[in-house]
Amino acid sequence: MGETKKCALVTGGSRGIGRAICVQLAKDSDYHILINYNSNSEAAQETLAQIKEAGGSGELLPFNVVDANIVKMTLDTWQENNKEAIIEVIINNAGITKDGLFMWMKPEDWSDVLNTSLNGFFNVTNHLIQKLLVNRYGRIINMVSVSGLKGTSGQVNYSAAKGGLISATKALAQEVAKRNVTVNAIAPGFIKTDMTSEMDEKELKKMIPANRFGEAEEVAHLVSFLISKKASYITGEVISINGGIYS
C-alpha cells in the first residue's frame, strides 16, 4: 500500500472564486487539487500553473456537473487510475447566472441556472459522499450567494438555486455530522470576478458598508479555514462574506 493521496475537488475551478480557492488550498494545505471545469481549458491550465507556482500539486478534471452520467464516469475513471487517492474535500463552486426579469424569463434560463447549482451539487456530492462517510472524515463547501439569502431582483432563478442549496446544506449537515463530515455554505456578496465585471462597481459600492467589492482571495481564505481541522465544530452554517451588505 502506498501513501494515500488526499485530494480536494473544486468544481468550476478554472476562473474567478474557483481559481482563487484552488490556489489558496495549494498554499495552505497538502491537498492535491482537482480542478474541475466545463469548457475553458485554457483558464484551467492557468489555474494549474498557479497551483504549481504556489508549491502545490493538481490536475485537470473536465466534466459538466449537470450531466450525472458524465460526472459518475469521470470520477470513477479517475478513482480507477488513482487507487491510493481519496477525495476528502468537495467544493461545489460551479454556478451560472442568466439574469432577467421573471416575467420575461425563458424556461431554459430557469432550468439551466437551477441545474448547474442544484443538480451539480447533487451529482458530484451524492457520488462521492459514501467514501467520506466510510472514511469518517470530510469537508463539503457549497458556494451560494447573498442572492440566496435575501433574494435579488432580476435573479429569481439564481436566488432560487442558491436558496435551495442553502437548505440542502443545512439538511445534509445533520445527516453526516456524526461521521466528522462537515457541510457549510459560503455566501459571497459582490466579489471582483468575470461574473461581476459588467456591473457598475462605482454605483453599487455605495450600497456596501465596506464601500468596495470583495476580492476572490478573501473568499478563498474563508474556504481554506472551513476545510481545515480547526473548523471541525462548524457545520450546517451559511457564512456571508459581503462587506456588510446583508447581515
Side-chain angles (χ1 to χ4, degrees):
M1 288 286 282
E3 201 186 330
T4 307
K5 181 163 72 172
K6 294 185 173 181
C7 303
L9 170 63
V10 182
T11 70
S14 63
R15 296 180 300 160
I17 289 173
R19 172 183 287 179
I21 292 168
C22 288
V23 175
Q24 199 60 50
L25 297 193
K27 288 177 182 169
D28 294 349
S29 76
D30 296 328
Y31 285 115
H32 178 72
I33 315 291
L34 306 177
I35 309 160
N36 161 261
Y37 66 97
N38 185 21
S39 55
N40 196 333
S41 64
E42 207 177 309
Q45 290 286 359
E46 173 56 33
T47 301
L48 183 57
Q50 290 185 23
I51 285 171
K52 289 178 174 164
E53 222 172 280
S57 73
E59 65 186 281
L60 305 185
L61 207 56
F63 59 81
N64 184 346
V65 296
V66 174
D67 189 326
N69 291 329
I70 298 269
V71 171
K72 188 178 183 317
M73 209 171 68
T74 310
L75 291 172
D76 286 346
T77 304
W78 177 84
Q79 192 69 73
E80 198 53 41
N81 295 334
N82 297 272
K83 289 199 165 62
E84 295 303 322
I86 177 158
I87 296 174
E88 216 172 66
V89 172
I90 305 165
I91 317 282
N92 291 299
N93 170 69
I96 57 166
T97 52
K98 289 193 174 182
D99 296 353
L101 289 177
F102 185 72
M103 188 170 80
W104 309 116
M105 193 172 282
K106 297 185 185 80
E108 59 272 22
D109 290 352
W110 172 264
S111 53
D112 289 355
V113 169
L114 261 78
N115 283 342
T116 308
S117 280
L118 278 177
N119 295 0
F121 153 76
F122 176 83
N123 293 339
V124 173
T125 313
N126 178 259
H127 188 62
L128 294 172
I129 198 161
Q130 195 175 352
K131 284 225 164 71
L132 301 187
L133 296 172
V134 168
N135 204 36
R136 290 185 168 272
Y137 183 80
R139 294 281 185 266
I140 298 166
I141 307 276
N142 297 324
M143 299 306 295
V144 294
S145 167
V146 64
S147 301
L149 285 163
K150 75 166 193 64
T152 301
S153 167
Q155 285 196 327
V156 175
N157 49 2
Y158 191 68
S159 301
K162 296 306 191 181
L165 194 48
I166 285 168
S167 294
T169 299
K170 292 176 177 178
L172 181 59
Q174 295 173 53
E175 290 186 14
V176 299
K178 274 199 185 80
R179 298 275 177 136
N180 298 318
V181 177
T182 66
V183 190
N184 291 292
I186 293 177
F190 292 104
I191 308 294
K192 271 188 252 188
T193 64
D194 293 348
M195 210 184 235
T196 58
S197 60
E198 300 296 300
M199 293 179 178
D200 185 351
E201 188 175 345
K202 211 172 144 198
E203 205 40 49
L204 285 166
K205 70 179 194 181
K206 293 176 187 162
M207 304 166 17
I208 305 168
N211 198 37
R212 66 176 177 88
F213 276 21
E215 302 289 343
E217 289 70 28
E218 293 177 296
V219 180
H221 283 298
L222 178 55
V223 175
S224 182
F225 169 66
L226 287 173
I227 69 143
S228 73
K229 297 273 195 296
K230 297 169 190 166
S232 297
Y233 205 52
I234 302 172
T235 195
E237 277 303 309
V238 186
I239 300 174
S240 292
I241 177 161
N242 59 30
I245 198 168
Y246 176 68
S247 46

